Amino acid sequence: MDFLSSLDFSLIPQLLRYDATAPMIFSSGLFFFVFLLFLPIYGALRRYTTLRIVYVALFSLFFYYKSSGLYVILLVLAATSDFFIGRLMSRTSNRGKRKGYVALSMLINLGVLAYFKYFNFLVSLFFGLMNMLGLALGKPEWVLGEWQAWDIILPAGISFYTFQTMSYIIDLYRGEIQPLKRWIDYVFYVSFFPQLVAGPIVRAKDFIPQIYRKPTLPRAEYGEALALIVSGLFKKAIISDYISLNFVDRIFDAPALYTGLENLLGVYGYALQIYCDFSGYSDMAIGIALLLGFRFNINFDSPYQSASITEFWRRWHISLSSWLRDYLYIPLGGNRKGSVRTYINLMLTMLLGGLWHGAALRFVLWGAVHGVALAVHKMWCSLVPSSARGADQLPLWRRWLGRILTFHLVCFAWIFFRAESMQTAGEVLTQIATNFHPEVFLQFVQGYRLVFALMILGYMLHFTSHRLERRFRLFFARAEFVWQAAIVLALLTAVIQMRSAEIQPFIYFQF
């Protein structure tokens, strides 16, 4: 009784409410606490399919509410509209009507996405075009001035679940899957919390059959799941978050205050940061799903080990790149209509892929860099067929030459992806090209010891990841519970300490 009386139950409503300043994510302590409460009930319901589906769907909607507030209503409406469109499509064999239902689904999904993500971007482009034409043609009435952006908050994960619902309707139209009969099953598919906010993008034909299976968790899969969660948390919360806060953000906030060497190291740091951020979150999502009895495909396969840009896109964000291939590149014609059309299709796919990441010209430029690189590599492979091989199939010198060239091409494109503006990207490139100052390297290492150590550790783990992952998963599968718990607690403690530790800015030169 004394313990219960010491608890402050008035905090429970506060924990249940959405807090815009602290949205729920996998690496937050609140999520781990809530997830530990969720698991026993989920285990008790594993034999009761309908109750389990309803329970997980409700928890997923609560998770999204804690991530995005009332935009959970938008998620439910998107799921509802595509569920009924899918049901209507399944009742007709008329090709024209089926195409009409696909068009209706695309109009709704892309229309909502366009408003929340691209409205300000598109209107500002229109204003800029009208201003330019008005000045060029001497039509002052065409000059609209500067667009005052509307305050539109982007719902978390809308790009991911939009692609997921679109793939369901398209696969249904192609006859690759059967329509779901119950609305709650479709809500479960769209809102499944491990992959809802940041992927991976899960295909209906891969996921839906698993909904109705009784969840099982053999010891080997339990070890694999824990290893994925621990490694993902380490990559996301320790490496990515720390080097971002304490180094990368500072470089890109004011690149002119740092030497070219520091800017270059900042770009290398960002390449590691974004990989650890994306792949770490994916690993946690895949691991949590596996604990619940659902197996997702791998989403990142050591992409910086790629010896070509084509191989990079086979290893980087695999669920996204395969989605773009199957639902955009191939429908555009793929490589079936000649070389020139293939290069155009690659460019269009990557331009739209860049725009999917963000509503700014710098994302389009990022996509253009990758599109041109893919087209050039495709052309080179037609002249030198051995260049199409993966890194593991190449001689050692060609493998590492390809890796170095590919990595630096990717890093060059990351500059536009990370910079807040084209001016910032230009400053980073200018400092690297004209203000390098390699003599500050030792000072950098002394001033940013932990950042430098984490960067070295991160890249070393990346280039030895397959062997280490196998050993790590085998260890977790065989280890006693006390050792598993000790590792998890030690990691959580390290995360808390890393987040409370912040080093002071260390600027060597100002020019």
Side-chain angles (χ1 to χ4, degrees):
M1 290 296 294
D2 292 337
F3 171 73
L4 291 177
S5 62
S6 66
L7 296 177
D8 187 358
F9 291 99
S10 64
L11 294 176
I12 293 179
Q14 180 180 341
L15 292 175
L16 294 177
R17 284 196 299 268
Y18 168 64
D19 181 1
T21 62
M24 184 185 287
I25 57 176
F26 288 158
S27 56
S28 66
L30 177 60
F31 171 77
F32 280 101
F33 173 73
V34 173
F35 185 64
L36 289 175
L37 297 178
F38 162 85
L39 275 177
I41 301 175
Y42 179 81
L45 295 176
R46 68 183 186 277
R47 292 187 178 89
Y48 307 98
T49 303
T50 299
L51 286 176
R52 174 169 48 83
I53 289 172
V54 171
Y55 175 63
V56 175
L58 290 175
F59 182 83
S60 297
L61 293 176
F62 167 73
F63 174 80
Y64 191 73
Y65 167 74
K66 288 291 291 180
S67 300
S68 292
L70 293 178
Y71 283 125
V72 66
I73 298 172
L74 189 66
L75 173 65
V76 174
L77 291 176
T80 302
S81 67
D82 273 336
F83 171 75
F84 284 110
I85 289 172
R87 295 292 299 164
L88 291 171
M89 187 193 304
S90 67
R91 294 175 183 173
T92 180
S93 59
N94 184 285
R95 189 175 180 85
K97 288 184 178 180
R98 290 172 67 84
K99 284 186 176 180
Y101 286 127
V102 173
L104 177 61
S105 173
M106 299 301 106
L107 181 65
I108 294 172
N109 286 305
L110 294 178
V112 172
L113 180 63
Y115 171 74
F116 281 101
K117 194 166 186 175
Y118 303 109
F119 179 80
N120 283 320
F121 172 66
L122 294 175
V123 175
S124 65
L125 283 182
F126 174 75
F127 268 53
L129 178 62
M130 292 303 295
N131 292 338
M132 184 175 65
L133 289 174
L135 294 173
L137 300 176
K139 299 280 189 178
E141 66 274 14
W142 289 11
V143 177
L144 302 177
E146 184 178 353
W147 166 249
Q148 299 299 317
W150 292 5
D151 186 18
I152 300 175
I153 300 174
L154 182 67
I158 187 172
S159 298
F160 288 96
Y161 74 69
T162 297
F163 271 20
Q164 200 155 302
T165 57
M166 287 171 62
S167 71
Y168 171 80
I169 293 296
I170 295 171
D171 287 349
L172 198 59
Y173 171 79
R174 293 173 175 174
E176 296 179 3
I177 59 172
Q178 294 298 314
L180 287 169
K181 297 179 180 180
R182 301 190 305 182
W183 173 80
I184 192 64
D185 295 349
Y186 190 72
V187 172
F188 183 105
Y189 160 64
V190 174
S191 67
F192 189 53
F193 70 92
Q195 47 78 45
L196 175 59
V197 173
I201 301 169
V202 180
R203 307 281 185 92
K205 58 187 176 184
D206 298 325
F207 182 81
I208 289 173
Q210 300 185 62
I211 295 177
Y212 307 107
R213 297 175 190 162
K214 178 184 173 182
T216 59
L217 190 63
R219 186 173 180 84
E221 291 191 352
Y222 171 73
E224 181 183 356
L226 275 185
L228 284 166
I229 294 169
V230 168
S231 63
L233 184 61
F234 179 79
K235 286 192 283 188
K236 171 72 176 74
I238 292 186
I239 295 180
S240 178
D241 289 354
Y242 188 82
I243 66 175
S244 171
L245 176 65
N246 291 289
F247 179 53
V248 174
D249 290 352
R250 296 172 181 177
I251 294 292
F252 280 91
D253 284 345
L257 294 181
Y258 297 87
T259 65
L261 175 67
E262 292 163 291
N263 275 267
L264 180 61
L265 291 171
V267 174
Y268 291 160
Y270 181 67
L272 180 64
Q273 174 206 324
I274 194 170
Y275 164 73
C276 288
D277 187 89
F278 285 7
S279 71
Y281 204 97
S282 287
D283 285 351
M284 285 188 282
I286 295 168
I288 290 169
L290 191 57
L291 280 180
L292 303 181
F294 293 82
R295 180 166 287 280
F296 294 165
N297 295 324
I298 187 173
N299 204 29
F300 289 83
D301 186 18
S302 303
Y304 295 141
Q305 294 192 37
S306 304
S308 70
I309 194 65
T310 301
E311 186 182 7
F312 174 82
W313 277 104
R314 294 192 189 117
R315 292 168 172 256
W316 175 270
H317 213 317
I318 298 169
S319 65
L320 172 62
S321 59
S322 61
W323 196 100
L324 292 172
R325 179 196 64 207
D326 295 343
Y327 298 105
L328 187 57
Y329 174 69
I330 292 176
L332 285 172
N335 59 0
R336 304 186 305 272
K337 298 187 178 182
S339 298
V340 175
R341 181 67 179 272
T342 298
Y343 305 148
I344 293 173
N345 292 339
L346 285 169
M347 279 297 300
L348 288 174
T349 300
M350 294 312 301
L351 286 172
L352 291 173
L355 195 59
W356 179 84
H357 280 90
L361 288 175
R362 54 194 176 85
F363 290 109
V364 177
L365 181 57
W366 173 83
V369 170
H370 280 276
V372 170
L374 286 167
V376 170
H377 184 252
K378 180 78 73 173
M379 187 185 305
W380 177 251
C381 288
S382 66
L383 301 174
V384 185
S386 63
S387 299
R389 298 175 188 168
D392 295 337
Q393 298 172 311
L394 293 172
L396 185 63
W397 71 271
R398 284 185 62 185
R399 180 189 312 164
W400 280 100
L401 178 62
R403 282 174 173 170
I404 292 170
L405 293 174
T406 302
F407 175 72
H408 283 87
L409 171 64
V410 171
C411 284
F412 171 73
W414 282 142
I415 294 173
F416 303 102
F417 195 95
R418 172 59 181 84
E420 293 296 328
S421 66
M422 292 301 296
Q423 178 182 347
T424 300
E427 289 177 358
V428 171
L429 292 170
T430 299
Q431 290 295 97
I432 293 173
T434 64
N435 236 347
F436 198 68
H437 290 281
E439 66 273 12
V440 307
F441 179 73
L442 292 179
Q443 292 173 277
F444 167 81
V445 174
Q446 293 170 0
Y448 289 98
R449 290 186 185 89
L450 187 52
V451 168
F452 185 72
L454 287 175
M455 288 175 61
I456 294 296
L457 176 63
Y459 278 115
M460 286 179 61
L461 291 175
H462 181 81
F463 281 95
T464 58
S465 57
H466 291 298
R467 293 191 299 273
L468 287 177
E469 283 175 5
R470 284 194 293 268
R471 292 175 183 174
F472 194 49
R473 291 174 188 180
L474 185 62
F475 166 79
F476 258 96
R478 294 177 175 177
E480 297 295 330
F481 175 77
V482 63
W483 285 106
Q484 296 170 346
I487 292 173
V488 173
L489 287 174
L491 181 60
L492 291 174
T493 302
V495 169
I496 294 171
Q497 291 179 341
M498 294 289 282
R499 286 183 171 174
S500 63
E502 182 177 356
I503 58 179
Q504 296 300 313
F506 196 79
I507 302 173
Y508 308 114
F509 294 97
Q510 290 188 0
F511 296 95

